[in-house]
């Protein structure tokens, strides 16, 4: 199964934003995200911890995941969000079920975690590169959906992104990284090897999107040809997912701040004695 006629082929990679459009929309989305996180963390509002938020990033190499994550967490206190990156499992991790290593980074109530790569490696790189048997990666679709449904049933808001860009744009970014001394470290032999198997990866991605799409954790496909568009769509999508998740759990969704409060203005005052409860709003 390739991308021809699939979900990836239907994306409009011509979507772009100007610098001004990005700045305006990103600032608004970041301000709203900060507000929602303070509410979910019990720092403002009714002082109750809200549901955990887990944002999962998958996508092509050089599709802009790092830049999108940077803008997503920029307005948040680093004590209130955990960013975790996952590569190949270690020797000890391979001795356990493939989902085992992800449990420790999952957020608790009032917390938020952002995952740069995730359990979907089992049906992507492990499938294509032969690191998992066919029986293992085929079984993983059901295991992943059951896993996510379990988390959602417990209250977690799950946002899953696939960042998609064309083969031509990926090659342009690879070559640009080669020429930039401070970015060359991002480009590895593994990146080039994976690029050489793009058709196989496209087939794996399409099947992944089809078989792991479910109401508790739907996929958000992001047109990543333009980095400005990517960063704005990601941040706005997380805001919408949190608002929808709160509404679905019958948690009052706070109205947007009044027009008088512009992005960059002083943060809302925390309630008296908030330092006592501050640690409860951590990413744990």
């Amino acid at each position: 199964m390739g991308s021809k006629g699939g979900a990836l082929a239907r994306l409009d990679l011509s979507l772009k934003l100007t610098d001004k459009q990005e700045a305006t929309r990103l600032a608004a989305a970041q301000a709203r995200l900060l507000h929602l996180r303070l509410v979910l963390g019990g720092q403002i509002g009714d002082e109750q911890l809200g549901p955990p938020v887990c944002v999962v990033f998958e996508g092509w190499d050089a599709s802009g995941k790092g830049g999108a994550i940077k803008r997503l967490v920029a307005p948040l206190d680093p004590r209130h969000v955990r960013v975790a990156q996952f590569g190949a499992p270690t020797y000890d991790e391979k001795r356990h079920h493939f989902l085992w290593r992800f449990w420790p980074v999952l957020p608790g109530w009032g917390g938020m975690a952002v995952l740069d790569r995730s359990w979907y490696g089992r049906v992507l790189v492990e499938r294509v590169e032969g690191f998992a048997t066919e029986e293992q990666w085929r079984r993983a679709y059901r295991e992943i959906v059951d896993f996510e449904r379990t988390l959602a049933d417990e209250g977690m808001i799950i946002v899953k992104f696939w960042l998609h860009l064309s083969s031509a744009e990926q090659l342009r970014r690879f070559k640009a990284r080669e020429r930039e001394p401070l970015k060359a470290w991002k480009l590895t032999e593994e990146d080039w090897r994976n690029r050489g198997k793009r058709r196989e990866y496209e087939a794996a991605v399409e099947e992944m999107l089809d078989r792991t799409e479910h109401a508790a954790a739907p996929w958000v496909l992001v047109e990543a040809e333009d980095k400005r568009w990517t960063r704005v769509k990601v941040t706005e999508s997380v805001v919408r997912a949190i608002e929808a998740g709160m509404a679905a759990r019958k948690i009052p969704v706070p109205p947007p701040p009044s027009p008088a409060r512009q992005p960059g203005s002083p943060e809302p005052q925390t309630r008296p004695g908030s330092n006592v409860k501050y640690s409860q709003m951590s990413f744990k």
Side-chain angles (χ1 to χ4, degrees):
M1 185 192 324
S3 63
K4 184 177 181 181
L8 301 182
R10 292 192 291 271
L11 294 177
D12 183 1
L13 297 183
S14 69
L15 293 171
K16 296 182 179 180
L17 292 175
T18 64
D19 288 340
K20 183 176 181 180
Q21 289 172 327
E22 178 198 20
T24 301
R25 290 176 58 176
L26 191 59
Q30 288 175 328
R32 180 59 171 165
L33 177 61
L34 173 60
H35 186 190
L36 294 172
R37 284 296 300 124
L38 290 173
V39 171
L40 293 183
Q43 293 299 301
I44 60 177
D46 63 7
E47 303 183 8
Q48 299 298 313
L49 295 181
V53 179
C54 186
V55 185
V56 176
F57 280 85
E58 295 287 351
W60 296 108
D61 295 327
S63 59
K65 293 184 295 297
I69 292 172
K70 181 179 179 180
R71 272 71 179 183
L72 179 66
V73 303
L76 308 179
D77 190 300
R79 290 168 291 187
H80 303 163
V81 60
R82 166 188 278 142
V83 178
Q85 186 271 339
F86 290 95
T90 65
Y91 172 79
D92 186 61
E93 289 170 339
K94 291 178 182 178
R95 298 168 56 219
H96 300 268
H97 188 278
F98 79 96
L99 291 173
W100 174 81
R101 64 180 177 139
F102 300 104
W103 276 102
V105 304
L106 294 178
W109 279 76
M112 177 176 177
V114 178
L115 277 55
D116 184 353
R117 302 294 191 184
S118 69
W119 41 86
Y120 284 101
R122 174 55 60 106
V123 296
L124 292 174
V125 63
E126 293 183 36
R127 164 185 171 171
V128 175
E129 302 298 335
F131 299 146
T133 67
E134 183 172 350
E135 187 277 333
Q136 287 176 324
W137 63 257
R138 287 194 180 280
R139 171 164 46 90
Y141 296 119
R142 171 180 52 81
E143 294 174 320
I144 288 171
V145 172
D146 288 346
F147 174 63
E148 292 176 346
R149 283 176 174 160
T150 297
L151 297 176
D153 287 345
E154 191 66 17
M156 184 176 291
I157 297 171
I158 305 172
V159 193
K160 303 187 305 193
F161 289 110
W162 174 264
L163 273 57
H164 183 60
L165 79 169
S166 67
S167 177
E169 176 62 16
Q170 183 187 56
L171 179 59
R172 188 193 69 78
R173 294 183 187 182
F174 275 19
K175 291 182 175 180
R177 285 182 176 182
E178 280 187 323
R179 297 190 297 267
E180 176 55 62
L182 297 182
K183 293 184 178 181
W185 64 272
K186 292 184 177 182
L187 190 63
T188 66
E189 289 298 323
E190 183 179 349
D191 294 331
W192 286 109
R193 185 176 70 249
N194 291 347
R195 176 175 165 77
K197 297 182 179 180
R198 182 162 175 122
R199 289 179 63 87
E200 292 94 325
Y201 274 101
E202 284 181 344
V205 171
E206 290 286 8
E207 188 167 5
M208 173 193 75
L209 296 175
D210 180 60
R211 299 190 62 179
T212 61
E213 171 76 13
H214 58 103
W219 281 100
V220 179
L221 305 185
V222 181
E223 304 84 351
E225 203 86 348
D226 178 70
K227 292 184 178 181
R228 291 185 291 269
W229 174 271
T230 302
R231 296 161 182 170
V232 169
K233 182 168 182 177
V234 161
T235 309
E236 290 180 343
S237 296
V238 171
V239 168
R240 285 194 296 269
I242 292 176
E243 292 175 337
M246 294 175 68
R249 292 158 178 79
K250 295 181 171 44
I251 299 172
V253 180
S258 64
R261 267 197 36 81
Q262 297 297 324
S265 59
E267 295 183 9
Q269 292 294 314
T270 56
R271 64 187 185 281
S274 63
N275 287 338
V276 176
K277 196 176 180 181
Y278 199 75
S279 62
Q280 295 185 23
M281 190 192 167
S282 70
F283 44 67
K284 298 179 181 179

